[in-house]
Amino acid sequence: MKKGMFSLVIVFYMFTLITNAVNVINFDVKKTDDKVIIYNSSIGDNIKVAKLVFNNLTYLDNQLDNVEVYEDILVIYGNVQETMDKLEFKIIDKNKNAELKLGVYEDNLRIVKTNGETHYYQFIEGGYFFNEAIADAETRTLDGLKGYLATITDEFEQTLLNKLSDVEAWAGGSCGVYVDGKYIYSAETCENPDNRVYRWISGPEYNQEFYPSGQFNFFGELEPNNNELKEAFLLVNYFDNGGWNDIDDGEYGYYLEFSEYGSQQIDEANYIIKNIEPDNPILTPTPTSVVITPVVPTHTPTPVTVAEPFVSPTPVSTVKPVSTPEIKKVVIKDEKVEPVEVEENKAASITLVSNINESSTAKNTDNGLMATSSANSASIISILSNLDMVGYTILTVFGAVIVSLIYQVVKYIAVVYKLKK
């Protein structure tokens, strides 16, 4: 390689390094008490617009002419590096993280955020027929969003577009119909003033009517008039005040729009992010993922026999047993008698009757009536054993009296009998 050529390569290499160094985008933040300031910004001269997204921060407005704030975004138009180092924010909650995210753009954009949705607007120069403008817009992307021919739904948007350019340009409205992949003039929807309907043919407002439904429009006086019966497309900035006109197809620039709608979300992969740590962070435990593996049994468990539930049999009416009578009180002649165990009463009764029987037998061994007396006593005992407790006790006493009377009668009969002999 010649010496001159080698020197040229070195110069080109150094120039590349210097250029790349200049284009390195960065900034630093410093926290003082509840304030955050930006300093030491490094923004290339090619950057025309910057967007700062802030979280847990409030912008301290210092009346900068090239700064606009919408909800949680701040937009800088021109002189970005110098402006960055003048920005100050106040922390809302000092116990939580605060955050700044910077996105930068080389194109001349207008950025706003309304109802939680960020919109980007850009003017595209060149000569595009209406359907060519639609197709070209759909090939462009910004921050992960797909472009479309701009829709203008209020005066605020109209003003933004006027700030971008005052040149005649296409916007996404038409009274035409969609045939074979493009919009064409339609006599049915464009010619008759009573049936002339303009709709948005792109973006989130696709197919929404804006004329003559009473929605926002900025048509000039006596427009749309469908001059020469072929005007089907919306051209803005036709009049000095930016007013709209319906026009035949031709070559113009167009207004491009990007926004968050449907499944489209902003991609912040290229943003520069700065975190501001809290003074006294609130610690939130991080949940730990636990994977539980089910245990597969290696043997077949022995089935457990479940016994049938016990069903109590229907009780059958039976004769009450007399072997375990209850203890109750017996009242005789209004005098209280202490409770006496039935078994003891029964034994006493049997003993009493037995003594009477023995006495009767000893004195009447040669008399046939003794057998009858013993038999009667045995019958009385048998009857007593089957009575209830109260009746049993009464009959025991009564039986003893009867037996004693029978004994006296038998004794008397025996005496009389001997006398007659």
Side-chain angles (χ1 to χ4, degrees), residues 122-327:
Q122 184 178 356
F123 174 72
I124 305 298
E125 296 180 359
Y128 298 88
F129 288 100
F130 186 77
N131 285 283
E132 292 177 345
I134 295 174
D136 186 73
E138 293 176 350
T139 65
R140 298 174 184 263
T141 59
L142 181 68
D143 281 355
L145 304 176
K146 184 179 179 180
Y148 56 90
L149 212 56
T151 58
I152 311 169
T153 58
D154 55 35
E155 188 175 353
F156 178 71
E157 280 188 297
Q158 176 66 40
T159 302
L160 285 176
L161 297 183
N162 289 341
K163 289 181 179 180
L164 283 172
S165 173
D166 59 359
V167 176
E168 295 176 349
W170 294 123
S174 174
C175 67
V177 293
Y178 192 70
V179 177
D180 296 331
K182 62 181 181 179
Y183 286 88
I184 62 173
Y185 176 86
S186 169
E188 181 180 355
T189 59
C190 296
E191 287 186 8
N192 189 338
D194 295 332
N195 296 331
R196 188 177 297 139
V197 175
Y198 270 79
R199 302 177 186 275
W200 297 116
I201 50 82
S202 58
E205 291 81 19
Y206 174 77
N207 207 36
Q208 290 184 16
E209 178 183 335
F210 64 89
Y211 177 88
S213 66
Q215 300 297 321
F216 175 80
N217 75 80
F218 204 50
F219 278 115
E221 187 177 358
L222 303 179
E223 301 293 346
N225 60 7
N226 190 20
N227 188 32
E228 298 182 3
L229 302 180
K230 57 183 179 180
E231 297 179 342
F233 310 111
L234 176 61
L235 191 73
V236 301
N237 292 332
Y238 184 84
F239 299 99
D240 292 340
N241 64 349
W244 306 351
N245 187 23
D246 61 331
I247 196 168
D248 189 10
D249 204 0
E251 293 183 298
Y252 300 93
Y254 69 90
Y255 284 110
L256 174 66
E257 183 176 358
F258 306 89
S259 67
E260 299 173 283
Y261 74 96
S263 60
Q264 295 197 93
Q265 300 295 324
I266 291 178
D267 181 4
E268 299 178 343
N270 295 322
Y271 283 29
I272 298 168
I273 302 175
K274 300 293 181 178
N275 288 310
I276 298 96
E277 298 293 334
D279 293 334
N280 300 300
I282 299 174
L283 300 178
T284 303
T286 303
T288 303
S289 299
V290 179
V291 179
I292 301 176
T293 304
V295 178
V296 180
T298 56
H299 67 281
T300 303
T302 304
V304 178
T305 303
V306 180
E308 294 292 331
F310 176 75
V311 179
S312 300
T314 304
V316 180
S317 178
T318 58
V319 179
K320 293 183 179 180
V322 298
S323 58
T324 57
E326 296 180 357
I327 301 173

Side-chain angles (χ1 to χ4, degrees), residues 405-417:
L405 290 174
I406 293 174
Y407 173 75
Q408 295 299 328
V409 171
V410 172
K411 182 178 179 181
Y412 176 79
I413 293 173
V415 172
V416 172
Y417 180 79

Side-chain angles (χ1 to χ4, degrees), residues 86-122:
K86 295 179 181 179
L87 300 180
E88 295 183 356
F89 297 86
K90 182 178 180 179
I91 299 175
I92 298 174
D93 188 343
K94 294 193 292 185
N95 295 322
K96 295 182 179 179
N97 280 333
E99 187 178 55
L100 284 169
K101 295 183 286 187
L102 175 66
V104 294
Y105 310 92
E106 296 181 358
D107 295 318
N108 186 24
L109 304 172
R110 303 301 298 188
I111 305 175
V112 299
K113 186 171 185 178
T114 58
N115 300 321
E117 297 179 350
T118 303
H119 292 251
Y120 306 78
Y121 302 89
Q122 184 178 356

